[in-house]
Amino acid sequence: GASPSCQALRAFRSMLAQELALWGKFLSMNLKGLESQAELATLFRRGDFISPHTGQKAGRVLGFLLFLTKHWREAWGGGLWWLGARPAEQFLPQFNVLHLFAPSDDSLHLVSPVTIDAEPCLVISGWFLHE
């Protein structure tokens, strides 16, 4: 059978998919579902980062990032930086914090490099699609 971590990710995907009407309220639209294999569990370790991007792709209307790391420190890097149409703003990884955004030219963001050998920073991310 699948590993417990894969089973947990599938259960999370199922929970998200069952609540499409709720997630669609953030955009005042009906959602079709989640992008195929959209949810991704990422462990950020020393040196890991994500380059600037907007997340734009045909059909994507709502992105999410769920941070699942406790006691993360700013000095360790790994911050989520929003660079879009406003002054850059950093959001540190915080346990059980969900970030939602509509991919657009203004949704430019990145994850800064992790600078220390600490517990990895766990993030689950993915995309909802328009109906």
Side-chain angles (χ1 to χ4, degrees):
S3 73
S5 59
C6 289
Q7 291 171 355
L9 196 55
R10 275 194 228 122
F12 180 70
R13 177 185 177 84
S14 176
M15 182 274 304
L16 290 175
Q18 289 174 15
E19 300 295 339
L20 291 177
L22 169 71
W23 301 114
K25 288 180 181 180
F26 287 98
L27 299 168
S28 299
M29 68 174 58
N30 293 324
L31 300 178
K32 176 170 74 171
L34 289 162
E35 190 172 82
S36 177
Q37 298 181 352
E39 71 289 336
L40 176 68
T42 305
L43 281 175
F44 288 92
R45 295 182 175 99
R46 184 183 192 122
D48 290 342
F49 66 94
I50 296 180
S51 298
H53 65 287
T54 62
Q56 290 178 292
K57 185 177 174 183
R60 288 180 174 174
V61 293
L62 183 64
F64 66 88
L65 298 112
L66 175 62
F67 285 88
L68 295 172
T69 300
K70 294 181 179 180
H71 313 296
W72 194 261
R73 296 188 179 131
E74 184 175 2
W76 297 351
L80 172 64
W81 282 90
W82 290 100
L83 309 170
R86 56 183 178 249
E89 186 174 3
Q90 178 180 210
F91 296 91
L92 295 177
Q94 294 180 1
F95 182 71
N96 212 27
V97 171
L98 178 68
H99 295 273
L100 300 172
F101 67 96
S104 71
D105 291 340
D106 293 333
S107 66
L108 186 66
H109 59 283
L110 63 83
V111 174
S112 64
V114 174
T115 60
I116 191 167
D117 291 319
E119 286 292 317
C121 180
L122 175 60
V123 181
I124 298 176
S125 58
W127 305 97
F128 289 97
L129 302 175
H130 186 262
E131 187 169 74

